[in-house]
Amino acid sequence: MAFSDLLEQVGSTGCFQFLHVTLLSMPILMMASHNLLQNFVAAVPPHHCAPYANLSMSSMGAGDVLQATVPLDQNGKPERCRRYVHPQLQLLSSNSSESLWEEGVEEIETQSCEDGWYYNTTEMSSTIISEVNGKFGGTCAAFSTSFTMFCIFRVCCGMALSGLVLNSFSLIVEWIPTRVRTVVGTGTGYFYTAGQLILAAVAYCIRDWRWLTLAVSLPFYVSFLYSWWFLESARWLVLTKKSEQAVKNLKTVARINGRRAEADKINFEMLQESMKKEMACSKGSYSALDLLRTSTMRTITVCLSAVGFSTSFAYYGLSMDLQKFGVSIYLIQIIFGAVDIPAKILVTISMSMLGQRPSQCRALVLAGVMILINLLVPYDLQVLRTSLAVTGKGCLAASFNCCYLYSGELYPTVIRQNGMGWVSMMARFGAMVAPMVLLLGEDSPWLPGFIYGGAPIVSGIFAFLLPETLAQPLPDTIQDVDDSRGTEGGRERCTFTPPSYNPCRYETRTRNLLGYESDSLTIRPRLPHV
């Protein structure tokens, strides 16, 4: 038998898998809160230059102080970063006409905000922007006393979250059978979707950025406490020469799933027999260089890098700039989170029926098209613009879900963590670049949207070059990946001695290497060679 058959013997969809997937997914529930936290803790409240002290302490009303201090922009709103060099009290005169306002105000000398800014705290009592006057970690970030400290802790938080999602998803994939891998993998993504909705609710109730950061950070300590009891992947343990621990883990899984009789049968010899081929092909150590070792691995790595980068790049380009839609950021956060539900249902059906490759390609291309179409819609049609942006974001959420599942299925067990880590790093790089592209909009308002829309379309072409994994068992070695594409590459050609010859019976589990026509567990009569 192969390892997948051994997993069926101890229970592949039992109580253990339910608890295992649920507990591993709980941190992902709050991960969305941290990934999108900047929308609220770094929101830019309505603001303008602080008025002169002698005016603010006078008996003048707030409206008069503002009119005498801050000029208006082209939209008739107070300038955010300019004020008059001297208070313009003549503008408050009842004799000042509209023509005086139009002709004279433009000639009045202005300056930058020398005394800082005044922030409207009606919607949010405090953000990091209002505390550090416009300058740009988890629990520790909530207690930051400076902008530098805040940035350091947020960087550490981002590093930790990347490792968290990689390890969680890898452990989930390696303990579930092939037949439910797509559904379970997509179901895990719904925890992230729910986290987006939770963030909107928590942020609405907690308007101070410090308390909000603390509230979305504390739940991780609960996951930290129970994470010590997770079982390591038995596949990985065997391939790293830790078979004794793998036997213990399999016995534990069997007992939790109520299969004590099967647990007693599992031993070291059975495990070795089940993974004889995989162990023979996994001799030596592996590193990140193996991601480019063969032509098949190079194709997979390059294409997944493009997919991961562009998906994250466009996703956070849309999700991290909620204030541009002109409606409540709490409402738009709920809408952006809720659209993931139908999007992931559709991509799950698509992956189950059509496969991962066409699903990945279509999600990326459709997302890019929605973003590009939005460039042609006038700004005053906010409902239409928001609808297109929400549709594009839903497609990118589907692409994200497909990308993580696809990566785990394409990379073999011996380097799965390395491969998924690389793809995740490219995705994080895309998220880092996304806000910087917005700066290009100061000179060319259409350019950021064009880049955000073009990147997914280009990466959709790269995704088309990836191999299909629908209904395929997880590869354990690089040789497995190369064999699936019919190539001869690999670090070493695997040699495997077939079972002893019996003219009447033979095992069919080694079809790829021995040329047998089936990989089932049945033992059939050997057909005579012609």
Side-chain angles (χ1 to χ4, degrees):
M1 64 175 67
F3 180 82
S4 58
D5 305 305
L6 188 60
L7 183 60
E8 293 289 346
Q9 181 176 327
V10 301
S12 59
T13 55
C15 182
F16 167 79
Q17 278 76 19
F18 176 79
L19 292 173
H20 185 72
V21 172
T22 301
L23 293 177
L24 279 170
S25 300
M26 292 307 295
I28 299 177
L29 183 69
M30 299 307 299
M31 191 179 75
S33 298
H34 270 283
N35 282 355
L36 302 175
L37 189 62
Q38 297 298 100
N39 280 328
F40 301 96
V41 301
V44 182
H47 62 279
H48 54 77
C49 291
Y52 299 95
N54 59 341
L55 286 180
S56 61
M57 294 184 295
S58 67
S59 58
M60 298 171 57
D64 291 340
V65 172
L66 179 61
Q67 184 177 352
T69 305
V70 180
L72 302 180
D73 60 18
Q74 295 179 348
N75 298 321
K77 297 181 179 180
E79 287 276 2
R80 290 185 171 188
C81 299
R82 304 297 297 177
R83 73 174 184 180
Y84 299 124
V85 175
H86 303 289
Q88 303 299 310
L89 300 178
Q90 73 276 11
L91 298 178
L92 305 179
S93 173
S94 57
N95 296 327
S96 59
S97 62
E98 183 176 347
S99 60
L100 175 63
W101 176 260
E102 294 177 350
E103 298 176 7
V105 171
E106 294 180 357
E107 301 175 359
I108 300 176
E109 186 179 0
T110 61
Q111 62 180 191
S112 59
C113 299
E114 301 293 336
D115 298 324
W117 285 263
Y118 168 81
Y119 293 92
N120 187 334
T121 58
T122 303
E123 187 171 357
M124 294 183 178
S125 61
S126 174
T127 72
I128 188 65
I129 299 299
S130 62
E131 284 205 12
V132 298
N133 277 336
K135 300 177 183 177
F136 284 87
T139 305
C140 296
F143 300 99
S144 300
T145 58
S146 68
F147 168 67
T148 302
M149 185 184 299
F150 174 81
C151 289
I152 292 174
F153 287 130
R154 288 298 294 167
V155 168
C156 294
C157 181
M159 294 172 62
L161 291 174
S162 297
L164 182 150
V165 68
L166 285 177
N167 286 296
S168 297
F169 200 82
S170 182
L171 277 175
I172 288 173
V173 166
E174 294 188 10
W175 276 114
I176 58 176
T178 302
R179 66 179 183 276
V180 297
R181 197 166 57 211
T182 298
V183 175
V184 173
T186 306
T188 303
Y190 279 110
F191 282 82
Y192 191 89
T193 299
Q196 297 181 59
L197 302 178
I198 291 175
L199 173 62
V202 175
Y204 183 82
C205 297
I206 304 175
R207 302 300 180 94
D208 183 272
W209 76 271
R210 293 182 183 273
W211 288 107
L212 175 59
T213 302
L214 191 63
V216 299
S217 300
L218 290 178
F220 284 97
Y221 288 102
V222 178
S223 299
F224 170 78
L225 293 177
Y226 67 68
S227 64
W228 296 98
W229 282 271
F230 284 131
L231 292 183
E232 183 56 83
S233 166
R235 293 174 182 268
W236 181 83
L237 289 171
V238 172
L239 296 175
T240 54
K241 316 305 179 186
K242 299 177 182 179
S243 299
E244 293 182 0
Q245 185 61 46
V247 170
K248 292 181 181 179
N249 287 2
L250 286 168
K251 286 179 175 289
T252 301
V253 172
R255 293 190 183 99
I256 295 176
N257 285 337
R259 301 191 177 187
R260 295 187 176 275
E262 286 78 2
D264 296 335
K265 297 177 184 178
I266 298 174
N267 53 44
F268 181 75
E269 291 73 21
M270 177 185 290
L271 188 61
Q272 280 196 318
E273 180 64 25
S274 300
M275 299 192 68
K276 185 184 299 182
K277 174 198 161 197
E278 289 82 357
M279 294 174 68
C281 294
S282 64
K283 294 179 179 179
S285 59
Y286 295 84
S287 67
L289 293 177
D290 290 290
L291 299 176
L292 304 172
R293 183 72 63 178
T294 69
S295 60
T296 303
M297 293 304 302
R298 284 193 292 272
T299 299
I300 290 173
T301 299
V302 171
C303 293
L304 284 179
S305 297
V307 170
F309 174 87
S310 62
T311 299
S312 183
F313 172 73
Y315 182 93
Y316 288 106
L318 291 176
S319 301
M320 296 293 286
D321 192 23
L322 300 185
Q323 289 183 296
K324 70 180 179 183
F325 293 100
V327 297
S328 169
I329 60 173
Y330 306 103
L331 176 60
I332 198 66
Q333 176 64 56
I334 292 176
I335 295 174
F336 265 36
V339 72
D340 288 11
I341 298 175
K344 290 177 179 178
I345 290 176
L346 291 176
V347 81
T348 301
I349 297 173
S350 177
M351 287 190 292
S352 299
M353 298 180 63
L354 303 178
Q356 275 75 343
R357 179 172 61 184
S359 301
Q360 184 76 79
C361 294
R362 293 176 183 181
L364 286 167
V365 173
L366 184 58
V369 170
M370 291 296 102
I371 297 174
L372 292 179
I373 291 177
N374 219 354
L375 295 176
L376 307 177
V377 180
Y379 279 94
D380 56 339
L381 299 178
Q382 283 295 329
V383 174
L384 179 57
R385 288 181 57 82
T386 302
S387 300
L388 290 171
V390 168
T391 303
K393 194 266 184 182
C395 293
L396 291 169
S399 176
F400 244 135
N401 227 50
C402 188
C403 181
Y404 273 110
L405 179 63
Y406 209 4
S407 300
E409 293 178 334
L410 287 172
Y411 284 117
T413 301
V414 291
I415 56 171
R416 182 167 293 122
Q417 286 294 82
N418 289 334
M420 294 185 69
W422 174 262
V423 175
S424 178
M425 185 185 75
M426 294 303 296
R428 298 295 164 259
F429 184 64
M432 291 168 55
V433 175
M436 300 179 186
V437 173
L438 291 174
L439 300 177
L440 300 176
E442 296 181 2
D443 297 324
S444 304
W446 58 270
L447 188 55
F450 180 79
I451 298 175
Y452 288 141
I457 294 177
V458 172
S459 66
I461 300 174
F462 279 90
F464 185 76
L465 303 177
L466 290 168
E468 182 54 69
T469 60
L470 179 63
Q472 297 295 317
L474 287 178
D476 286 316
T477 66
I478 295 177
Q479 187 65 51
D480 289 341
V481 177
D482 288 331
D483 286 344
S484 68
R485 296 297 299 273
T487 62
E488 289 289 332
R491 297 184 59 190
E492 51 184 329
R493 188 63 185 170
C494 175
T495 57
F496 179 67
T497 305
S500 58
Y501 178 79
N502 184 317
C504 298
R505 302 169 71 83
Y506 75 108
E507 293 184 49
T508 61
R509 68 178 180 84
T510 52
R511 171 183 49 126
N512 287 338
L513 292 178
L514 300 181
Y516 298 150
E517 75 273 21
S518 172
D519 60 352
S520 66
L521 296 178
T522 58
I523 299 178
R524 311 175 187 171
R526 179 184 293 276
L527 298 176
H529 294 288
V530 178

